[in-house]
Amino acid sequence: MSTHHFLTLLDFTPNELQEMIVHAVELKKLLKQGTPHTPLQNKTLAMIFEKSSTRTRVSFETGMIQLGGHALFLSPRDTQFGRGEPIEDSARVLSRMVDAVMIRTYEHAHVETFAAHSSVPVINGLTDLYHPCQLLADMQTWFEYRGEIKGATVAWIGDGNNMCHSYINAALQFEFKLNIACPIQYSPNADIVKTAETFVNVMPDPIAATEHADLVVTDVWASMGQEEEQNDRQKVFQAYQVNESLLAHANKDALFMHCLPAHRGEEVSEGVLNGPQSVVWDEAENRLHAQKALIEKLMT
Ligand code: CP
Ligand code: NVA
């Protein structure tokens, strides 16, 4: 059997994703009860971070420890990745020593190349194209608050970025309607939209996208690696702030999510981020529980 990787949400079947979310909820309960659950004893996860991270690093590292294993933080600054050792060689070597590898990097093709040469599972901890781990946490959070997401309407407001692409994958896998509102030049990748076209609508108007939404989601206007575009983007995205007046167009019981870190006063207002519809802190916490379910599935 070939090694199972998690590079996008499409690497699992809808059933497997649903089972993982149910297991994440169980793991959360066990942790809160203080019941140890340590199926990953003597297992090691290597974590390669070529971009910054708070949630992803802490959730994977803590998750591995809670499951009885160990995690290694590897930065390009003090490994040979940063000095040009080929990805293929790094993959061959690391996968002879550790039991799984998580990678956060720029080019999505790099995690694909790594996975192609790795004999152990590879997890995408964010690339320029996708952020699938965040979607596990978002779907768990929705499940805890509202149950099944099938048939619901989700509004994505802002940049057609890595998070947006993973939402497109999620729309296909979980069968929800996804309205994406973005400035035309920041539309999501057309090929990715095409894979889920029966579930996805891309439009320029944030109000139209938010009407009848059950969940409203946004993310920063300039992602990691786009820092020098920040000023230009800020002008173009002005009309795409999720604030109280935009959220009022959604259904009354709509939830608000943001993968964080958030830029208050840019893509989201302080009032929405800390308002009664926001579930962002549960969403952040669920990174831990959802990824524990993921690594348990991949590593046992
Ligand atoms: N949401 C998220 O991935 O956060 P970090 O960049 O802090 O890992
Ligand atoms: N779109 C953001 C997500 C951060 C978790 C970025 O890539 O920087």
Side-chain angles (χ1 to χ4, degrees):
M1 209 182 85
S2 64
T3 309
H4 202 158
H5 304 295
F6 184 57
L7 306 190
T8 78
L9 279 188
L10 306 183
D11 288 329
F12 287 110
T13 65
N15 263 348
E16 286 173 321
L17 290 172
Q18 190 55 40
E19 281 167 13
M20 226 184 296
I21 287 164
V22 169
H23 190 48
V25 175
E26 283 165 7
L27 292 174
K28 186 173 182 175
K29 201 169 143 203
L30 289 179
L31 184 71
K32 308 247 171 200
Q33 283 169 352
T35 310
H37 176 71
T38 55
L40 298 187
Q41 284 178 33
N42 300 320
K43 304 256 188 199
T44 303
L45 172 73
M47 309 186 299
I48 301 170
F49 280 96
E50 297 194 312
K51 288 175 174 172
S52 303
S53 169
T54 299
R55 280 144 288 266
T56 305
R57 177 180 177 180
V58 174
S59 54
F60 270 114
E61 192 161 335
T62 309
M64 276 305 291
I65 294 165
Q66 289 175 359
L67 291 169
H70 183 78
L72 292 176
F73 174 78
L74 303 171
S75 113
R77 246 198 345 204
D78 37 40
T79 55
Q80 303 290 3
F81 312 121
R83 299 183 59 252
E85 183 168 14
I87 296 167
E88 295 85 341
D89 294 358
S90 302
R92 290 184 186 106
V93 172
L94 270 189
S95 62
R96 284 176 179 232
M97 297 179 183
V98 303
D99 302 285
V101 181
M102 187 242 79
I103 308 176
R104 169 169 285 198
T105 189
Y106 294 88
E107 282 184 50
H108 188 72
H110 288 179
V111 295
E112 292 178 331
T113 304
F114 196 104
H117 295 87
S118 169
S119 57
V120 300
V122 174
I123 297 167
N124 175 3
L126 181 149
T127 62
D128 289 345
L129 211 54
Y130 293 106
H131 193 6
C133 292
Q134 183 68 50
L135 261 289
L136 295 180
D138 287 22
M139 293 298 103
Q140 180 190 343
T141 309
W142 174 274
F143 182 68
E144 289 175 334
Y145 275 89
R146 299 281 187 264
E148 214 184 3
I149 197 164
K150 183 174 178 172
T153 299
V154 178
W156 173 270
I157 309 296
D159 192 15
N161 64 11
N162 45 7
M163 274 297 299
C164 179
H165 293 150
S166 283
Y167 260 93
I168 295 171
N169 288 166
L172 182 67
Q173 295 287 62
F174 291 90
E175 299 184 24
F176 57 79
K177 182 176 171 195
L178 178 63
N179 293 333
I180 298 171
C182 53
I184 186 92
Q185 66 273 42
Y186 295 107
S187 297
N189 178 305
D191 292 332
I192 298 175
V193 172
K194 212 161 180 198
T195 61
E197 60 190 351
T198 50
F199 295 101
V200 177
N201 275 307
V202 183
M203 56 194 87
D205 181 2
I207 294 176
T210 307
E211 299 285 356
H212 309 297
D214 302 298
L215 169 64
V216 178
V217 194
T218 190
D219 186 15
V220 290
W221 292 336
S223 286
M224 289 181 276
Q226 299 171 334
E227 287 77 7
E228 73 291 349
E229 298 174 29
Q230 173 73 30
N231 289 342
D232 292 341
R233 283 171 170 263
Q234 215 158 312
K235 291 179 204 127
V236 180
F237 280 99
Q238 275 312 311
Y240 294 83
Q241 183 185 81
V242 180
N243 50 34
E244 289 82 338
S245 87
L246 182 63
L247 197 57
H249 290 274
N251 287 340
K252 273 200 174 52
D253 65 347
L255 298 178
F256 171 74
M257 293 191 198
H258 188 310
C259 65
L260 306 177
H263 291 185
R264 291 165 169 82
E266 291 181 28
E267 78 277 2
V268 62
S269 66
E270 172 73 41
V272 166
L273 190 72
N274 277 316
Q277 289 167 273
S278 172
V279 292
V280 299
W281 313 117
D282 293 316
E283 182 189 1
E285 178 190 331
N286 284 340
R287 293 295 303 279
L288 171 67
H289 311 298
Q291 285 157 208
K292 281 171 72 182
L294 170 71
I295 50 188
E296 190 177 338
K297 183 166 176 65
L298 290 175
M299 295 174 80
T300 55

